[in-house]
Amino acid sequence: MDGAKQSASGTPGHCSRPPFAIPSSYSIMSKPSSSEDILGQKYDRCLADLLVKSGVGFGVGVVASVIFFRRRTWPIALSTGFGAGAAYADCDRSFNPARIPGTRVLSQNEAASLQGNKSN
């Protein structure tokens, strides 16, 4: 046929599904996530961050080792450790936001007194 698309039904020019179908998991009115799903997403993000940052550190270490340090192994180990440490720090902040500098956890009494001061 003249290069026209043909669907399974045989009508030219029409596809059997829209080209940009939105998966059902991306619904606008999504149900609230369970705590296990949130925890799993955080672990997945931490693992991906660890792999990326350690990989970048490894690459920087290899380049530094070849160019500057006559092919020694310690720059590779050091930079890979720096990447893993940065990923660990990010993951720690993800699981415990109270450790973010400048963040303070308030008791209920302190929060109530702040709310009272704002309304006055």
Side-chain angles (χ1 to χ4, degrees):
M1 297 185 115
D2 302 322
K5 292 181 184 177
Q6 189 170 10
S7 69
S9 65
T11 58
H14 297 290
C15 295
S16 60
R17 64 178 185 163
F20 298 107
I22 298 174
S24 62
S25 62
Y26 294 114
S27 66
I28 295 172
M29 299 292 288
S30 63
K31 61 182 178 181
S33 299
S34 68
S35 61
E36 290 138 4
D37 291 339
I38 294 170
L39 192 64
Q41 289 174 353
K42 284 185 180 184
Y43 274 121
D44 290 344
R45 210 172 314 132
C46 286
L47 182 61
D49 197 30
L50 174 73
L51 291 174
V52 168
K53 289 186 179 181
S54 295
V56 168
F58 181 81
V60 167
V62 167
V63 169
S65 175
V66 169
I67 293 175
F68 299 118
F69 299 108
R70 296 181 297 176
R71 297 188 183 186
R72 309 257 181 191
T73 58
W74 66 266
I76 299 170
L78 183 69
S79 60
T80 303
F82 282 160
Y88 177 80
D90 289 345
C91 191
D92 187 40
R93 282 190 288 267
S94 172
F95 281 106
N96 190 2
R99 290 193 183 170
I100 297 174
T103 304
R104 194 175 86 180
V105 178
L106 300 175
S107 67
Q108 289 181 348
N109 295 335
E110 291 174 328
S113 67
L114 285 176
Q115 290 294 333
N117 290 339
K118 285 183 181 179
S119 64
N120 290 335

